[in-house]
Amino acid sequence: MIYLALFWEYFKIGLFTIGGGYAMLPLVTQVVEQRGWLTSEELLNFIGIAESTPGPFAINLATFIGVKVGGTTSLGVFGSVLGAFVATFAVVLPSLVIIIIVTKLFDKFSKSKYVQGVLYGIKPVVVGLILSALITVGCQVILPNLNLKAIDKSGFDQFNWISLIIAAAFVPLSRIKIKGKKVHPILMILLSAVIGVILFGVINLSQ
């Protein structure tokens, strides 16, 4: 049953993802591709929506994917709602259980050299997973024809300069301070949305 598969896959993702929503992307990408739940373009769009909507990125993405997967059943709208609930519950369940256990045992193990060793060992892996997600998403946006599993020259035929320029412009913008305060992330999200509508919607530079 598709809901059991959705629960199991997202339970594993929630259990083995350390470092936040972006570290989850490599696992999510692998699952949706193997299961055939989403295309690469659909996943990329969901990532953009999940990042732009209120709430934690990882939970938003799980909810959207659950809606998509649940909507493929014969249950219609109810199937989409059920899929969203299953995926969201499954992805937060491991963290909920682990947090309860850690809270009970924190005072006892917080200064353990073994616990500290585990945490130090995990940190570089988290950085690697986030970098992997950054490279994967970045390539899909800037080099839409590039297949990272089988790289060839044809993958570099189409280069999205506009997206690269927008990304490059927003990096320094995120560091600028106005009256001692950085530009609020919400303002940057809204500004990027307006720029996207103008360039890719009105002017249609994607063609």
Side-chain angles (χ1 to χ4, degrees):
M1 188 176 182
I2 194 169
Y3 296 106
L4 291 177
L6 188 62
F7 177 88
W8 175 239
E9 294 294 355
Y10 256 103
F11 181 82
K12 289 190 296 182
I13 290 172
L15 182 61
F16 292 105
T17 296
I18 300 173
Y22 295 106
M24 179 185 293
L25 286 181
L27 291 175
V28 173
T29 302
Q30 183 180 31
V31 167
V32 298
E33 288 182 353
Q34 289 180 347
R35 293 279 185 175
W37 287 342
L38 277 79
T39 65
S40 297
E41 184 176 357
E42 287 175 330
L43 177 60
L44 185 61
N45 291 335
F46 278 7
I47 291 172
I49 296 172
E51 179 62 41
S52 303
T53 48
F57 167 74
I59 296 178
N60 288 349
L61 184 59
T63 303
F64 292 141
I65 292 178
V67 169
K68 173 68 175 181
V69 175
T72 60
T73 66
S74 59
L75 299 178
V77 175
F78 177 76
S80 295
V81 174
L82 182 58
F85 173 81
V86 169
T88 304
F89 177 71
V91 79
V92 301
L93 181 59
S95 298
L96 179 62
V97 173
I98 292 172
I99 287 173
I100 293 174
I101 295 174
V102 169
T103 301
K104 295 294 183 180
L105 303 176
F106 181 76
D107 291 335
K108 183 177 180 180
F109 292 105
S110 59
K111 296 181 180 180
S112 169
K113 63 179 181 180
Y114 300 107
V115 173
Q116 294 300 319
V118 169
L119 294 177
Y120 278 116
I122 287 174
K123 286 179 182 179
V125 176
V126 172
V127 173
L129 288 172
I130 295 175
L131 287 175
S132 173
L134 174 63
I135 293 172
T136 300
V137 174
C139 286
Q140 289 178 345
V141 172
I142 298 172
L143 294 166
N145 293 336
L146 182 64
N147 183 358
L148 293 176
K149 295 181 180 179
I151 298 177
D152 56 31
K153 293 182 179 180
S154 62
F156 297 90
D157 291 342
Q158 184 178 354
F159 193 95
N160 194 332
W161 285 100
I162 303 300
S163 294
L164 179 60
I165 292 172
I166 293 174
F170 272 81
V171 170
L173 180 62
S174 66
R175 310 303 301 175
I176 292 176
K177 290 186 178 182
I178 301 176
K179 295 182 178 180
K181 295 182 178 180
K182 294 181 181 179
V183 180
H184 200 284
I186 293 178
L187 293 178
M188 289 195 291
I189 292 173
L190 293 176
L191 178 60
S192 64
V194 171
I195 293 174
V197 169
I198 295 173
L199 297 182
F200 300 108
V202 178
I203 303 178
N204 198 20
L205 294 179
S206 60
Q207 298 296 327

